[in-house]
Amino acid sequence: MKKLICLLLALALTLGLAACGGSTASSSTASSTASSSGEAASGGSGDQITLKFLHKWPQPENVGYFDEIVAAYMEEHPNITIVSEAVADEPIKDKLRVMMGSDDRPDVFFSWSGEFARKFIAADAVLDLTDALDADDGAWRSTLMEAGLEPFSSDGKNYGIPLRLNGKFFVYNKEIFEQYNLTPPTTWDEFLTLCETLKSNGVAPLAFGNQYPWAACHYITGLNQKLVAQDVRMKDYEKSTGEYTDPGYVTALNMFKELNDKGYFNEFPNSISHDMAHQNFAMGQCAMLYVELEEFNTVNNNMEGTPWGFFAMPAIEDGAGNQNFLTGAPDGFMVSSTTKYPDEAIDFLKYMTSVTSAQKMIDMLGWPSPVVGAHTADNSPEYLIEGMQAVQEAEGMALWLDTDIDIRISDVYLPGLQDLLNGDVTSEGLMQKVQEIAATVRAEG
């Protein structure tokens, strides 16, 4: 069985999207003096312990937070050295697939929720953290929102701990909207009318960078959810039963393609990055940008005082899905099942998801935290509090498509979205390819 799992993981790597971007790695040495405010983790008898920690934020504006958390933990636990490595968004997918098929795994590592996490769970590659969450009458569990824990669960057990709880929203330039007497749309038809008004006045409606097709994937995640009935979509996203024959999938692709065909996206979206789309929006070249809640802080900084607002993907009239869902998901960390130091690894995760650490994350990065009580009027800007409220009020979450379906299917689906925008494939043709690979996945298990 172990050989089969390794083979499947190797196959996933072979079929994976070509990785882009770079990585940075950093290591730290334990301080010689322990902080009087912290207690040593279990097993901290003085024997030197090294934990490997892998996350996905090597960017200079982000990595400093993790370096500070690691340094502070080691100061409180002088017998523990944490060796940190940061690998960017796309490359970490391939790195994790390779690592999980070997014995050289980080003790604590980043993971998306959904199918991405479930693959590790099915391979017995991660620890069951349920008992740790429930210890001391559920002391740790009570500090974390269930909406962050549930997408990391399987068969009633918890395998991952959320660091962030994310949602997806359109941000818009209020000055541009006011200039043309526009208001945030509540339906998709209103959204299209708004886009047409902007275009007819010489304003590009939507900044969009699809150089890496996860950006298009986020559009399709929401459109699929709103157009396909929940039970059908969940059946299709399960690799043993997925067929993808519901007409809503083709409709979703057509609606996405329409945004490009009508000129509502900026020119050549497949040629620019999401970061460049951010800059286009900030410079007023486009009126709207589809972003994650965690990006609100970046939006606000880039806008340099220009007022902006946000709204969720509008409802689609006659859509078969629940129109009060929100696209988004938690991401966080898991503990390797092969770690030599499970108690210490779990203790580090507890430290990283404490109220104190979460509030530091909010202060330094402006990211949305699932830690109960982390967000306050003193440490969180109004836009972040309002975004978190919208996430909590949603009737459910549509997890990112590329992390909620089998990798073999997403490796066809996502590049196909770029082909769709280029006119190299039709919506029907792309879904036929998805159906074919889904049949292969069902047969292979």
Side-chain angles (χ1 to χ4, degrees):
M1 184 63 182
K2 182 176 180 181
K3 291 182 179 179
L4 176 60
I5 290 168
C6 292
L7 177 62
L8 291 176
L9 288 168
L11 177 62
L13 172 62
T14 301
L15 293 174
L17 290 172
C20 299
S23 67
T24 63
S26 62
S27 61
S28 304
T29 304
S31 170
S32 60
T33 304
S35 168
S36 61
S37 63
E39 296 180 2
S42 56
S45 61
D47 295 337
Q48 286 300 312
I49 291 171
T50 298
L51 295 177
K52 294 181 181 179
F53 172 49
L54 175 66
H55 66 82
K56 76 171 189 80
W57 294 281
Q59 304 87 353
E61 64 272 23
N62 296 330
V63 73
Y65 164 74
F66 294 95
D67 288 346
E68 286 197 18
I69 290 296
V70 166
Y73 184 81
M74 290 195 299
E75 184 176 358
E76 295 187 13
H77 304 80
N79 67 311
I80 298 178
T81 298
I82 297 178
V83 179
S84 300
E85 183 179 11
V87 179
D89 200 358
E90 285 298 325
I92 200 172
K93 296 176 182 178
D94 291 333
K95 187 175 184 70
L96 284 171
R97 289 172 198 140
V98 173
M99 281 186 167
M100 292 304 111
S102 72
D103 292 329
D104 183 25
R105 306 176 192 171
D107 300 276
V108 178
F109 62 91
F110 170 85
S111 178
W112 287 273
S113 54
E115 173 62 22
F116 195 93
R118 289 194 294 271
K119 188 177 291 289
F120 299 143
I121 297 168
D124 293 325
V126 291
L127 288 184
D128 178 357
L129 303 176
T130 309
D131 288 345
L133 285 162
D134 291 337
D136 301 321
D137 296 323
W140 190 15
R141 183 184 296 278
S142 67
T143 67
L144 298 167
M145 297 177 187
E146 183 59 30
L149 286 169
E150 192 279 331
F152 281 106
S153 65
S154 179
D155 295 328
K157 296 181 179 181
N158 300 100
Y159 294 88
I161 302 299
L163 178 75
R164 306 179 301 179
L165 183 57
N166 225 339
K168 194 83 177 184
F169 300 91
F170 288 96
V171 293
Y172 66 94
N173 185 314
K174 286 188 174 182
E175 290 183 349
I176 294 176
F177 269 47
E178 289 173 2
Q179 183 177 355
Y180 300 107
N181 297 315
L182 301 173
T183 57
T186 59
T187 68
W188 191 260
D189 286 343
E190 291 176 0
F191 180 61
L192 294 179
T193 299
L194 182 154
C195 288
E196 187 60 34
T197 299
L198 289 165
K199 181 190 172 187
S200 65
N201 283 281
V203 179
L206 291 160
F208 182 46
N210 196 47
Q211 184 177 19
Y212 303 115
W214 62 260
C217 165
H218 286 188
Y219 272 91
I220 294 301
T221 298
L223 291 170
N224 280 356
Q225 184 278 315
K226 292 185 181 301
L227 289 164
V228 180
Q230 178 73 3
D231 60 336
V232 174
R233 191 170 59 88
M234 291 296 92
K235 179 175 177 288
D236 286 331
Y237 287 6
E238 169 56 47
K239 65 181 181 180
S240 64
T241 56
E243 296 181 346
Y244 297 87
T245 56
D246 190 284
Y249 295 116
V250 171
T251 302
L253 293 173
N254 284 334
M255 292 173 67
F256 172 66
K257 186 173 184 292
E258 181 182 25
L259 297 176
N260 189 60
D261 291 349
K262 289 190 172 182
Y264 297 157
F265 291 144
N266 48 245
E267 291 186 326
F268 312 117
N270 286 341
S271 300
I272 70 171
S273 68
H274 183 64
D275 288 342
M276 181 60 70
H278 260 284
Q279 294 302 317
N280 290 343
F281 174 71
M283 291 186 292
Q285 296 179 359
C286 303
M288 295 176 286
L289 173 67
Y290 198 34
V291 300
E292 298 171 36
L293 178 56
E294 69 176 64
E295 297 176 84
F296 275 18
N297 197 50
T298 300
V299 170
N300 193 64
N301 291 339
N302 288 346
M303 293 296 277
E304 297 182 340
T306 301
W308 60 278
F310 67 92
F311 58 89
M313 179 176 282
I316 299 174
E317 296 176 0
D318 300 325
N322 186 325
Q323 302 304 304
N324 294 318
F325 268 45
L326 188 67
T327 295
D331 54 30
F333 293 92
M334 308 180 88
V335 177
S336 171
S337 59
T338 61
T339 179
K340 297 178 181 178
Y341 309 109
D343 292 339
E344 288 77 11
I346 290 171
D347 189 72
F348 175 58
L349 265 186
K350 288 181 179 179
Y351 185 88
M352 192 159 47
T353 56
S354 66
V355 171
T356 299
S357 296
Q359 290 182 337
K360 179 186 283 289
M361 181 184 78
I362 295 167
D363 290 338
M364 293 182 65
L365 305 178
W367 287 353
S369 172
V371 175
V372 176
H375 289 278
T376 69
D378 293 329
N379 71 3
S380 301
E382 184 177 355
Y383 56 77
L384 185 55
I385 292 177
E386 291 178 357
M388 284 297 295
Q389 182 177 351
V391 170
Q392 293 175 36
E393 290 177 352
E395 295 181 15
M397 300 291 283
L399 306 186
W400 317 122
L401 179 67
D402 58 334
T403 65
D404 206 26
I405 62 177
D406 189 89
I407 185 64
R408 291 165 288 182
I409 299 174
S410 68
D411 280 350
V412 172
Y413 215 145
L414 267 65
L417 298 175
Q418 291 179 320
D419 294 337
L420 185 70
L421 294 182
N422 286 335
D424 296 332
V425 68
T426 65
S427 299
E428 292 80 5
L430 175 54
M431 285 316 301
Q432 182 176 348
K433 292 181 180 180
V434 171
Q435 292 163 9
E436 290 171 355
I437 189 62
T440 299
V441 170
R442 288 199 311 273
E444 294 179 352

